[in-house]
Amino acid sequence: MPESKHRRKGKVRPRPTRSAPPVKNPAPSPNWIPATGVGLIIGGVAIILLGYLDFVQTRTAGLPALGSNWPLVFGFILLTAGFGFLTRWR
């Protein structure tokens, strides 16, 4: 049977040493971070849904730039901020 090309005949290879200590687990996040993230997400969804009511659309139609789309934009900003908070949750 043919021998392997990688066989070392009696040579002992030194094992690599660790250069840095193992990383410790980070401290858990405070309780207000997940609560704030979930609150922002729920608030963003609520603002988006309420933006479709006729009462809100007539009030925001006269606003500059986006017109009646302000609740939609503001709701997505709150959703993004909520997801940003939840990415910091450990």
Side-chain angles (χ1 to χ4, degrees), residues 12-84:
V12 178
R13 191 168 65 178
R15 298 202 178 252
T17 58
R18 290 187 177 174
S19 60
V23 178
K24 295 181 181 178
N25 290 337
S29 60
N31 291 337
W32 61 271
I33 289 183
T36 304
V38 170
L40 286 172
I41 290 174
I42 291 172
V45 170
I47 288 176
I48 290 172
L49 292 177
L50 290 175
Y52 287 107
L53 296 177
D54 288 332
F55 173 76
V56 177
Q57 284 185 352
T58 57
R59 296 266 182 180
T60 58
L63 293 176
L66 297 174
S68 62
N69 289 331
W70 278 106
L72 186 65
V73 171
F74 189 62
F76 276 117
I77 289 171
L78 286 180
L79 283 172
T80 305
F83 282 120

